[in-house]
Amino acid sequence: GRVRAMHDENGDVVLEATPSRPVQVQGLSTVPRAGDTFLVVEEDRTARQIAEKREAAERNALLAKARKRISLEDFTRALELAATYLIALAGRARAIAALGDHTAAARDWTRSIEYAGSSNSDLPESIDKMYLERGSAWLATGNTDAALADYAKALEINPKNTAAHIARANTYFKLNDRERMLGEFESAAKIDPYDIRTYIARGEAAERWGDTRLAIESYMIAAKTNPRGSGQARQALKRLGVDKMP
């Protein structure tokens, strides 16, 4: 503000306030605090700038004092809650899918993906797996376009996701696209030639397609690749009349 007049304790006008001399000042816009330094400047603009800086400093001090202190324990607890929420969503999505409501399952996977995308913490479920699971839910509803889009997103995030290639192969089977189906199985086998899931899935698709030769070939590869873990492939070979097992 601008000092318009000063009076001493007797009400007389004074022109100067020496150190420790009390005076009444007229013209200030706010009441100064004890200990504030009075600065005399020639221009109003300079005075306003000084006042604004002081007000900003005071506001920041008040905000800092009012702001809640967050400890490391608080952050840890928040991360635990985030992980628990995602685990609960994923569990509910799988349970709902098991009951046959795949549309509702897809909605829960959508919530999981959105929540995971906004989280900076380590996730109990990888995002590419969430897209893969949502794609499977869409496929169960007959929405092959949405399923293929989610499988593509899963592979974009993790190009070595063999399960996504297998899922795409099964989708192309539903679309009667044999060439693309076989291409996806081939891509999965190149990523991990020891993953027998690829050969078993290809054998099952070949059986449904009516290609017994390819089905036997696929199951044989699975049985040879992992003799101990290929019980499903051996059973399929017996079903197809193959007596000699690898």
Side-chain angles (χ1 to χ4, degrees):
R2 181 193 298 270
V3 177
R4 301 188 181 281
M6 292 190 299
H7 299 84
D8 61 14
E9 64 275 14
N10 299 316
D12 296 330
V13 175
V14 295
L15 299 178
E16 182 181 9
T18 56
S20 75
R21 181 180 182 182
V23 294
Q24 291 181 338
V25 180
Q26 295 179 351
L28 299 182
S29 56
T30 58
V31 179
R33 295 174 302 178
D36 279 353
T37 303
F38 276 79
L39 298 177
V40 178
V41 295
E42 295 182 357
E43 297 182 358
D44 289 345
R45 184 179 61 180
T46 305
R48 281 195 297 270
Q49 291 174 347
I50 294 172
E52 288 171 358
K53 286 183 180 179
R54 287 185 174 181
E55 288 176 0
E58 185 176 352
R59 281 196 305 271
N60 291 336
L62 290 173
L63 287 173
K65 187 176 181 180
R67 189 179 297 120
K68 180 182 177 182
R69 292 180 178 273
I70 301 177
S71 64
L72 179 60
E73 289 76 13
D74 294 326
F75 279 118
T76 302
R77 178 59 179 163
L79 293 176
E80 289 174 351
L81 289 173
T84 302
Y85 179 68
L86 279 176
I87 290 171
L89 269 180
R92 188 173 71 175
R94 293 187 179 108
I96 291 173
L99 293 173
D101 192 348
H102 298 286
T103 301
R107 284 198 297 267
D108 269 352
W109 284 119
T110 298
R111 294 188 185 98
S112 298
I113 291 167
E114 290 173 349
Y115 188 84
S118 63
S119 175
N120 295 321
S121 59
D122 293 333
L123 303 174
E125 298 270 352
S126 59
I127 297 182
D128 64 306
K129 186 176 180 181
M130 294 178 193
Y131 277 106
L132 180 60
E133 298 248 24
R134 189 176 70 174
S136 298
W138 287 132
L139 184 61
T141 68
N143 191 341
T144 54
D145 288 339
L148 288 172
D150 275 350
Y151 298 147
K153 188 65 178 179
L155 286 169
E156 179 185 329
I157 296 170
N158 179 10
K160 294 185 176 182
N161 190 330
T162 56
H165 280 294
I166 294 171
R168 282 213 296 198
N170 289 329
T171 306
Y172 287 129
F173 173 84
K174 285 182 174 290
L175 295 172
N176 293 317
D177 192 335
R178 179 185 174 90
E179 183 178 351
R180 287 188 176 181
M181 178 193 75
L182 294 177
E184 292 297 335
F185 282 131
E186 184 178 350
S187 296
K190 286 180 179 179
I191 292 172
D192 187 355
Y194 299 102
D195 189 343
I196 64 172
R197 294 178 302 172
T198 300
Y199 309 114
I200 291 175
R202 188 177 67 179
E204 291 173 342
E207 272 195 88
R208 296 195 299 270
W209 206 293
D211 190 339
T212 304
R213 183 194 62 78
L214 179 60
I216 292 174
E217 176 187 318
S218 300
Y219 292 137
M220 290 285 281
I221 294 174
K224 289 179 180 179
T225 302
N226 186 355
R228 292 185 178 182
S230 58
Q232 184 179 352
R234 291 175 181 275
Q235 290 177 3
L237 287 169
K238 286 183 179 180
R239 184 176 64 249
L240 294 172
V242 179
D243 296 326
K244 186 179 180 180
M245 299 292 173

